[in-house]
Amino acid sequence: MTITETSGLGRDPDTEYEEICRWLGAIEFAWDIEKSLEFALFRTYAVPSISGLLVRTGKFEAEPRKRYDDTELLLSEPMEHGLDSDRGAEAVARINAIHGRFRISNDDMLYVLTTFVCEPVRWCARYAKRPFSDDEVRAWTNYYRALGARMGISGIPADYAALDALNCAYEGAQFRYAESNHRIAVVSLDLLLGFYLPRPLFSLARPAALALMDGPLILAMGFEPPSRGVRKTVERAMAARKWVLGKLPRRKKPRLITARRRPTYPGGYVISELGNGPLRAAE
């Protein structure tokens, strides 16, 4: 599917939501949406039932980069190629097969889905060159509602406001500290920092990364909150970035996650093999 600098404009968010979302993710907010989804995953680690399963399966701590790549690729295949394309359908089937090995509650699955909807919208409102428009929010919501339906998730709210309310209520009830939260969060934060910095600088950079997270999330993961000065510095840096982005012309070439070279898969990847690794018995 061809993605151009204007391919998501003027489309119907109820019938052409896939095209709109593909444009948002690859052209309009390429870096911001990818980062927001990384931080969305941190929110899921603040729920003990989710982090506990990740610890019990063993794969996350054993191969964090591979799990990150597998998750990103499986979510990006339907987004970039179409939910019902051959590649998209194969990726969704693979996601369902992996989840089927474990006893995961519908509530947890639904909460994770809400983070994929809400966090990019919130992130772009704060840090991107502009917020999502109302039609873009609607398209983004419709896309993930369609993905959730294909994953067998029940009770998905019909609009963004209801998804946002569910997300906030679930976090209010379920965010609490657990050792598994901290273990998974430490591995994830080090992985995130490793994309940009050598390991000796991790300890200096952690407060800056945490400054992009809210207090309840930080406490539930067992981290020390960053100082007010660090928060202000990060906020100013992100505000400066936002201002610069607003002056730049729109990206012309799509930034496709599925086309990116990765050290995990130097020769390319096979969708049906994503998610393989040291998985223990179903929990």
Side-chain angles (χ1 to χ4, degrees):
M1 297 181 183
T2 303
I3 308 173
T4 69
E5 61 183 311
T6 59
S7 61
L9 300 174
R11 293 184 180 270
D12 187 329
D14 292 322
T15 60
E16 299 176 292
Y17 52 84
E18 289 190 72
E19 290 84 354
I20 295 171
C21 292
R22 194 171 296 117
W23 174 76
L24 290 172
I27 295 284
E28 188 70 351
F29 298 122
W31 186 87
D32 288 283
I33 284 179
E34 183 178 10
K35 292 303 120 180
S36 70
L37 291 173
E38 289 174 357
F39 280 88
L41 289 173
F42 277 101
R43 306 198 74 80
T44 70
Y45 307 150
V47 178
S49 58
I50 297 175
S51 66
L53 176 61
L54 293 173
V55 167
R56 291 193 297 274
T57 62
K59 184 176 181 180
F60 197 101
E61 292 177 287
E63 297 178 310
R65 179 58 195 263
K66 183 179 187 304
R67 188 189 183 280
Y68 171 88
D69 285 344
D70 289 358
T71 299
E72 186 173 53
L73 289 168
L74 286 171
L75 289 172
S76 298
E77 284 287 348
M79 176 71 76
E80 294 181 357
H81 298 288
L83 283 163
D84 296 323
S85 68
D86 289 344
R87 295 184 68 90
E90 186 178 6
V92 173
R94 184 62 187 149
I95 292 171
N96 291 337
I98 294 169
H99 288 165
R101 301 176 187 177
F102 310 102
R103 289 194 295 271
I104 307 174
S105 72
N106 185 77
D107 286 349
D108 280 352
M109 294 277 285
L110 180 55
Y111 167 65
V112 174
L113 188 73
T114 69
T115 68
F116 294 162
V117 176
C118 298
E119 285 307 304
V121 175
R122 295 167 180 165
W123 175 284
C124 288
R126 291 193 298 262
Y127 303 129
K129 62 183 179 182
R130 65 169 180 85
F132 277 40
S133 70
D134 290 345
D135 278 354
E136 288 164 355
V137 171
R138 190 167 176 173
W140 195 256
T141 300
N142 284 335
Y143 173 83
Y144 278 101
R145 291 186 73 248
L147 175 62
R150 287 163 175 78
M151 293 172 60
I153 301 174
S154 62
I156 304 173
D159 57 35
Y160 179 82
L163 278 160
D164 180 72
L166 188 154
N167 175 272
C168 293
Y170 200 78
E171 291 184 353
Q174 300 297 329
F175 270 21
R176 63 182 183 277
Y177 175 76
E179 181 186 356
S180 57
N181 296 0
H182 187 67
R183 285 172 60 176
I184 297 300
V186 167
V187 172
S188 299
L189 188 55
D190 284 356
L191 176 66
L192 182 64
L193 294 173
F195 292 154
Y196 304 99
L197 300 168
R199 181 167 289 276
L201 297 180
F202 284 8
S203 60
L204 296 175
R206 283 191 190 102
L210 293 173
L212 296 170
M213 305 180 194
D214 58 85
L217 173 61
I218 293 170
L219 293 176
M221 293 188 298
F223 289 120
E224 185 72 23
S227 68
R228 184 177 299 179
V230 169
R231 280 200 179 276
K232 286 185 177 181
T233 299
V234 171
E235 288 171 3
R236 288 169 182 163
M238 295 301 285
R241 174 185 177 272
K242 182 174 185 174
W243 183 86
V244 170
L245 287 175
K247 302 297 181 182
L248 297 177
R250 178 174 286 137
R251 174 187 292 274
K252 295 182 181 295
K253 184 178 179 181
R255 183 175 182 265
L256 296 177
I257 288 173
T258 57
R260 188 178 305 164
R261 291 187 177 182
R262 298 168 186 267
T264 311
Y265 298 107
Y269 62 92
V270 176
I271 294 173
S272 63
E273 296 178 0
L274 295 173
N276 287 338
L279 293 171
R280 294 201 278 268
E283 298 290 340

